[in-house]
Amino acid sequence: MIILAKENNIVSENATSKKHDYEVLGTGLNLTDVERSRKQFGFNEIPEKKVKPWLQFIKRFWGLTAWLLEIIIVLSIFLQRYADVCIILGLLVLNAVLGFEEEVRASKVVDALKEKLRVNARVLREGVWSVLPAREIVPGDVVRVRSGDCVPADVKVVSGRLDIDQSVLTGESFSVDRGLGDILFSGSVVKGGEANCVVMSTGADTYFGRTAHLVELAKPKLYIEKVISSVVHWLLVIVSVLAIVALVCSVLRGFGVVETLPILLIILLSAIPVALPAMFTVSMALGAMELSKKGVLVTRLSAVEDAATMNVLCVDKTGTITKNKLSVVKTLACNGFSEKDVVFYGALASKIANHDPIDLAFIDAAKQEELPIGAVVQTSFVPFDPKTRCTEAVMQKDNERFRVMKGAVRVIGEACKLTGTEKKLLYEQTQKYALKGYRTLAVAKTDHEEKLRLVGLAALYDAPRPDSKQLIHELNELGISVKMLTGDALPIAKETAKNVGLGERIVLISSLKADCKKESLFAELEVMESDVFAEVFPEDKYTIVKNLQDSKHIVGMTGDGVNDAPALKQAEVGIAVNNATDVAKSAASVVLVNEGLTSIVDLVKNGRVIYERITAWILSKIIRTLQVSVFTVLTFLLTGNYAISAFGVILYFFLTDPVKIALSTDKLQGSNKPATWKIYGAVKTAAILGTFVIVESIALLYLTLNVFNVSINNPAIYTYTFEILFYSALFLNFNVRERRPFYKSKPSKILTLTIIASLIAGTILVTVGIPNLTAVPVAETLIILGLSAFFSFIVNDIVKVFTVQKLKIQW
């Protein structure tokens, strides 16, 4: 009697130990045992931590941008500017709702993917076999698995023999033979045979569960959040310095602190990147829509931007670089047969209906060589069995009847009754193929005397995809280093690397771990310099990705199996290929719909265009913040009055924010190298361009006061200063979108139309007037508009080009 007990998450066998109430295999568990086991171990599923929706929403009011808006709301209430309070409160809530809605939508996508993972299992309970949802099985249950089944938990084989495909779990290309006493991992696929098994571990205790735990631990670095924080940081530095200057100067000139509050309100308003989250989201959403047309589905929007900065791509071998499909790559003919005979008779000893990968490899090879396999009738077929290690078929062609066999070299050699010398030569050739990572089979057929004769050897190999070599070349041209990670042995890794044009620096993960124990710095360097990592486990892929990230690299990871999920989740750009498991797809941030990997190049190029759009917005925002805040402080210090109102600044935002968001549609040229966020470079460029923009704004204010004869105490001054800032901000978009002269490329139609619409709307408002904005003459408005255009298209554009080409300042 076999009695199962569970101690420290390990199921042990001990026939003499204290009875645990688990029944023997004859009848399976009874319902009492099932309930007891479920209370102890839970359901056969991975528990998830769910964040309460209301907490997710509340978090949207926490952060630098939210804090700035909240401070301004408090200041506006203190100054009794209730219209401003309503507008800014509306902005705050709108940002929170949009962000929350995006997060909920992403969560629903992941839940939908997980729903597809549900499988059933054949379970023996109380002497009756029944089909139950896999989540209901418990340790001690007896289950039956057969060809085509997905193993529902970690189980031990107690009868029967199986051919198991573990590629989605371990990354091994070839199926493995499993029999009495062997462990089958949850998620493996049965390729052949039947067996009764006892469930050993369920849920989080399974091999799959431990991988899922790694997925939970994996947290990709969201660089876009760092960029936003960095931008807001610099904006706060700018306005803080100006606020202190304004406060000190005001006190020295005899103004009270309360009288200075309106200017502080305006300075703070100028610093808030209200359109930043929307611009980022729209840019990446549009990029995601564009990519979807090319067969790339983006499940985490920030991955589009991360693809722009990605400088290392780790690729899984099986199913990603390779087809995860065996092919006949070498043949060796014997006894007067030809190489085509090896393929021909190997195909005859196969059956397409079985969907066996080896059978399909021979049949595909025969079709490619246009061999007449259809002219021979298969009268009987014995499929591959782990016990016999071969397939056998009886064929009929006209009046001729013969047998064909294919299988393990040793088995076929003995069936053909080869001599010791012949066997030795055969094994030597098999060993040579093995050194290249090939799997070798022998093929034989009977002659007219019914004697089995060896036809030859066939070497099988999981060949690379046709586009893999070209992809690696293109990625290298784009400045991205490609590293291959595989669970296969060193010979297979070497052969694959050679075929796809990867480097020759190949390392075994075991030796890398040994180096890590001796000297972590050396191991880190080895990870950086290696092109291929062989014999890796799921946790090793995760560790390699994390190691590269710790070395300040932006890492992409491609994969298709459960074993790739932790690394896919950890990488900034996790890419699941089209035939990936649902687990891999839910862990990834990008899913390829079409077969092959060339869509990754589209992802990178698209990401780099989006990077240029966001950079243009950042530069524009810093310049405008400098312009509004310095202009406000200088006019106050020079005249002793407020030349611009808080309402004017809010209106200015409402009319220019659509243009900033429209930048997300602009036609820009991406770099041929990985992008890097140069916020400090943008600040330096903004300081130079901003200085000219501020001087031009003061010059236009001087024109207003001395040529248009508008008094600083006249309410119309608010309209004129609004015009000065508004037109300058619109034309500035043409400067920041191009590092070359502005006329070198055309803006998108949407951006052009949005600028025109905004310009017309603003001009109408200042001409007809609205509350808090007095109407001014059209002629004077057109003069300010014309001069603003001249400053932007001529003066500022020359300064920009000089900054880039002569001062070598990059942003």
Side-chain angles (χ1 to χ4, degrees):
M1 181 182 289
I2 299 175
I3 298 172
L4 302 173
K6 184 137 183 178
E7 300 167 357
N8 298 324
N9 293 331
I10 300 171
V11 178
S12 61
E13 294 183 16
N14 188 345
T16 60
S17 64
K18 184 179 176 181
K19 187 169 181 177
H20 193 282
D21 291 336
Y22 283 165
E23 298 295 337
V24 294
L25 302 183
T27 59
L29 298 181
N30 59 44
L31 295 180
T32 305
D33 293 331
V34 170
E35 286 304 315
R36 185 186 301 116
S37 192
R38 184 165 294 139
K39 284 180 182 177
Q40 185 177 355
F41 304 115
F43 283 99
N44 181 30
E45 60 189 7
I46 312 300
E48 290 183 79
K49 292 181 180 177
K50 291 278 187 180
V51 181
K52 293 180 180 178
W54 66 269
L55 275 177
Q56 286 178 294
F57 184 71
I58 292 296
K59 283 181 180 178
R60 293 288 163 183
F61 295 92
W62 189 263
L64 280 174
T65 302
W67 293 339
L68 279 172
L69 287 168
E70 287 155 8
I71 290 169
I72 290 169
I73 289 170
V74 172
L75 271 176
S76 298
I77 292 171
F78 182 78
L79 294 170
Q80 297 183 346
R81 301 189 178 196
Y82 299 115
D84 295 352
V85 171
C86 293
I87 293 170
I88 297 165
L89 186 61
L91 285 173
L92 182 63
V93 173
L94 181 64
N95 273 339
V97 170
L98 289 175
F100 176 70
E101 186 182 353
E102 183 62 41
E103 197 170 343
V104 169
R105 190 182 296 115
S107 178
K108 285 180 179 177
V109 170
V110 174
D111 288 343
L113 284 170
K114 286 178 180 173
E115 189 65 31
K116 295 179 182 178
L117 296 176
R118 304 195 186 281
V119 294
N120 294 324
R122 297 177 198 84
V123 186
L124 178 65
R125 287 182 182 169
E126 297 185 329
V128 178
W129 287 100
S130 57
V131 177
L132 300 174
R135 76 183 292 268
E136 294 185 13
I137 63 176
V138 296
D141 259 327
V142 178
V143 296
R144 184 167 182 78
V145 291
R146 60 192 184 195
S147 183
D149 286 352
C150 180
V151 179
D154 283 2
V155 300
K156 177 178 281 191
V157 178
V158 293
S159 68
R161 200 158 193 87
L162 301 163
D163 192 36
I164 295 290
D165 179 4
Q166 298 182 145
S167 60
V168 296
L169 291 170
T170 63
E172 297 169 350
S173 304
F174 302 121
S175 57
V176 293
D177 180 34
R178 292 288 181 262
L180 186 62
D182 289 331
I183 298 294
L184 310 181
F185 294 131
S186 172
S188 302
V189 177
V190 181
K191 287 293 186 182
E194 294 188 7
N196 287 337
C197 310
V198 175
V199 176
M200 307 296 283
S201 302
T202 58
D205 294 331
T206 62
Y207 181 96
F208 175 91
R210 293 192 293 275
T211 302
H213 179 63
L214 273 180
V215 173
E216 282 185 14
L217 291 177
K219 290 183 179 178
K221 295 182 179 180
L222 300 178
Y223 286 89
I224 203 72
E225 292 180 359
K226 286 188 176 182
V227 171
I228 293 173
S229 296
S230 182
V231 171
V232 174
H233 166 77
W234 278 106
L235 294 175
L236 282 175
V237 168
I238 292 167
V239 299
S240 297
V241 170
L242 287 169
I244 292 168
V245 170
L247 192 61
V248 170
C249 291
S250 298
V251 171
L252 291 175
R253 293 186 60 179
F255 291 102
V257 175
V258 175
E259 292 175 90
T260 315
L261 284 181
I263 197 171
L264 295 179
L265 180 63
I266 293 168
I267 290 172
L268 281 173
L269 275 171
S270 70
I272 298 174
V274 177
L276 182 59
M279 196 273 173
F280 273 35
T281 302
V282 171
S283 287
M284 291 183 282
L286 288 174
M289 287 173 61
E290 189 178 327
L291 285 169
S292 68
K293 296 173 185 176
K294 297 178 180 179
V296 181
L297 297 183
V298 179
T299 58
R300 193 186 78 228
L301 285 180
S302 62
V304 180
E305 181 277 326
D306 288 331
T309 54
M310 178 177 73
N311 50 26
V312 176
L313 179 65
C314 296
V315 292
D316 174 53
K317 183 191 80 71
T318 307
T320 307
I321 285 288
T322 65
K323 301 174 183 177
N324 197 15
K325 177 183 176 184
L326 292 176
S327 304
V328 177
V329 290
K330 295 275 186 182
T331 52
L332 177 69
C334 304
N335 299 322
F337 289 100
S338 67
E339 290 188 351
K340 285 190 176 182
D341 287 335
V342 178
V343 175
F344 179 68
Y345 290 115
L348 294 183
S350 306
K351 196 173 187 71
I352 194 168
N354 284 3
H355 295 286
D356 180 86
I358 295 175
D359 285 3
L360 294 176
F362 276 97
I363 292 169
D364 287 346
K367 286 180 179 177
Q368 286 174 13
E369 296 194 28
E370 299 181 349
L371 300 177
I373 55 176
V376 189
V377 178
Q378 193 178 79
T379 59
S380 69
F381 180 76
V382 180
F384 176 84
D385 190 300
K387 294 177 183 176
T388 62
R389 307 295 294 162
C390 68
T391 63
E392 184 177 347
V394 177
M395 310 302 300
Q396 182 81 40
K397 183 179 181 184
D398 299 328
N399 295 324
E400 184 187 1
R401 189 181 181 88
F402 59 91
R403 281 189 308 130
V404 286
M405 292 177 68
K406 76 173 190 304
V409 175
R410 190 177 299 276
V411 171
I412 301 298
E414 290 174 356
C416 293
K417 298 180 180 178
L418 300 180
T419 64
T421 304
E422 288 172 330
K423 286 181 181 178
K424 184 181 178 184
L425 290 172
L426 215 57
Y427 299 154
E428 285 176 358
Q429 184 59 47
T430 303
Q431 191 60 34
K432 287 179 183 178
Y433 284 151
L435 291 174
K436 289 191 172 185
Y438 298 158
R439 179 174 182 173
T440 308
L441 296 180
V443 178
K445 75 172 287 284
T446 56
D447 56 20
H448 62 279
E449 296 177 353
E450 290 294 317
K451 182 182 177 183
L452 201 62
R453 296 181 64 206
L454 182 67
V455 177
L457 300 180
L460 283 78
Y461 177 56
D462 182 13
R465 292 177 182 271
D467 59 354
S468 292
K469 190 170 185 177
Q470 178 63 23
L471 169 74
I472 290 168
H473 173 73
E474 287 187 34
L475 289 173
N476 288 335
E477 289 292 306
L478 289 168
I480 297 172
S481 171
V482 180
K483 300 180 184 295
M484 186 177 79
L485 282 57
T486 176
D488 281 321
L490 190 62
I492 299 175
K494 280 184 178 178
E495 186 68 14
T496 305
K498 185 178 75 173
N499 289 340
V500 298
L502 278 170
E504 297 179 354
R505 293 168 295 185
I506 301 173
V507 63
L508 281 171
I509 199 69
S510 54
S511 64
L512 185 63
K513 287 178 179 177
D515 292 335
C516 190
K517 288 178 182 177
K518 294 176 187 175
E519 180 59 62
S520 59
L521 188 62
F522 175 75
E524 195 172 295
L525 188 64
E526 198 169 0
V527 169
M528 286 288 305
E529 294 182 348
S530 298
D531 299 307
V532 179
F533 300 88
E535 298 181 9
V536 301
F537 291 99
E539 58 268 26
D540 298 324
K541 295 181 181 183
Y542 169 82
T543 303
I544 289 168
V545 169
K546 213 164 180 320
N547 193 299
L548 288 165
Q549 290 174 329
D550 292 341
S551 301
K552 308 301 179 186
H553 287 282
I554 311 299
V555 185
M557 173 76 198
T558 71
D560 67 329
V562 174
N563 64 317
D564 302 316
L568 287 171
K569 180 75 177 291
Q570 180 62 34
E572 284 86 356
V573 188
I575 305 166
V577 297
N578 74 310
N579 60 341
T581 62
D582 288 332
V583 177
K585 286 177 180 177
S586 63
S589 50
V590 174
V591 178
L592 304 183
V593 175
N594 300 327
E595 195 169 330
L597 301 170
T598 50
S599 301
I600 295 174
V601 175
D602 294 323
L603 173 66
V604 171
K605 289 180 177 178
N606 183 284
R608 291 183 185 180
V609 169
I610 289 171
Y611 165 85
E612 294 296 333
R613 293 169 180 167
I614 294 173
T615 302
W617 184 92
I618 290 171
L619 183 61
S620 170
K621 177 61 183 175
I622 297 172
I623 293 172
R624 286 184 288 106
T625 297
L626 277 169
Q627 181 191 21
V628 173
S629 54
V630 173
F631 180 76
T632 303
V633 172
L634 280 178
T635 52
F636 177 69
L637 295 177
L638 291 172
T639 65
N641 287 288
Y642 300 110
I644 187 167
S645 65
F647 176 81
V649 174
I650 292 171
L651 181 63
Y652 163 85
F653 280 142
F654 267 102
L655 288 175
T656 58
D657 275 359
V659 177
K660 302 168 204 168
I661 294 171
L663 272 172
S664 60
T665 68
D666 200 12
K667 296 177 181 178
L668 295 172
Q669 184 69 40
S671 170
N672 60 354
K673 296 293 178 187
T676 52
W677 290 105
K678 305 181 186 77
I679 303 300
Y680 183 60
V683 171
K684 288 196 290 185
T685 305
I688 296 169
L689 269 174
T691 300
F692 279 83
V693 171
I694 292 162
V695 170
E696 291 156 7
S697 300
I698 296 295
L700 290 174
L701 178 63
Y702 179 84
L703 176 76
T704 302
L705 295 172
N706 296 283
V707 178
F708 299 159
N709 296 316
V710 179
S711 168
I712 194 69
N713 296 313
N714 187 336
I717 195 67
Y718 293 147
T719 306
Y720 284 104
T721 53
F722 167 77
E723 286 183 342
I724 292 167
L725 298 176
F726 173 65
Y727 292 132
S728 174
L730 288 184
F731 295 131
L732 180 65
N733 289 291
F734 294 99
N735 300 130
V736 298
R737 61 175 297 276
E738 259 286 1
R739 290 176 174 78
R740 302 170 298 174
F742 74 91
Y743 52 81
K744 287 292 183 179
S745 67
K746 293 181 180 179
S748 68
K749 284 185 180 179
I750 293 176
L751 177 59
T752 304
L753 291 173
T754 307
I755 290 173
I756 292 171
S758 186
L759 189 147
I760 292 171
T763 304
I764 291 172
L765 288 176
V766 298
T767 302
V768 301
I770 57 173
N772 296 320
L773 200 69
T774 306
V776 297
V778 177
E780 293 174 0
T781 296
L782 292 176
I783 290 172
I784 291 176
L785 188 154
L787 287 172
S788 296
F790 170 78
F791 290 142
S792 288
F793 291 121
I794 306 300
V795 179
N796 297 345
D797 212 57
I798 291 172
V799 172
K800 175 199 68 179
V801 174
F802 179 82
T803 302
V804 174
Q805 296 182 358
K806 299 298 181 182
L807 300 182
K808 305 294 183 185
I809 299 174
Q810 298 295 323
W811 70 84

